[in-house]
Amino acid sequence: MKVYSENGALLTALQQGRIDIVMSTINGLRYQAAQPASQTAFLGEYHRLDVGFTFTKGSPLTKAFQAAVNELIKDGTYARILKKWGTTASAIDASRINPPERT
């Protein structure tokens, strides 16, 4: 097992055959595999971790942020952003406050 602090070094090691596989964040790997120059393929998920945002308990921004994300989902902007970055398979269907962990 090797650990790299920079994605460029990791990708170079993979392309040069010094490592055989990379385990990292799903969206980062999906994006990387969508780039022809990376010469990589996304093989699948081991365990999905959704992105979250944290606000101070009781913050008025919490529900406003949730509503904004849900509006982006509803009007298609969210889907267009994910498509641009090659991460559509990681889409959520709604923004939730304190959702249960997915298993």
Side-chain angles (χ1 to χ4, degrees), residues 4 6 63 70-72 86:
Y4 295 86
E6 296 178 6
K63 289 194 183 235
N70 282 330
E71 183 59 30
L72 294 174

Side-chain angles (χ1 to χ4, degrees), residues 28-64:
L29 292 176
R30 285 187 197 279
Y31 175 75
Q32 178 179 302
Q35 308 310 305
S38 76
Q39 302 171 3
T40 62
F42 180 75
L43 300 177
E45 303 177 358
Y46 169 71
H47 179 74
R48 180 182 170 137
L49 297 172
D50 293 322
V51 173
F53 297 90
T54 301
F55 295 90
T56 303
K57 201 170 216 46
S59 170
L61 294 177
T62 304
K63 289 194 183 235

Side-chain angles (χ1 to χ4, degrees), residues 27-36 76-91:
N27 283 340
L29 292 176
R30 285 187 197 279
Y31 175 75
Q32 178 179 302
Q35 308 310 305
T77 301
Y78 175 71
R80 288 191 301 277
I81 292 168
L82 294 182
K83 184 176 180 182
K84 174 183 178 179
W85 295 102
T87 60
T88 55
S90 294

Side-chain angles (χ1 to χ4, degrees), residues 2 4 10 13-14 18-24 29 41 43:
K2 296 183 181 184
Y4 295 86
L10 182 146
L14 185 63
R18 290 183 280 129
I19 59 174
D20 298 311
I21 192 165
V22 173
M23 185 174 183
S24 186
L29 292 176
L43 300 177

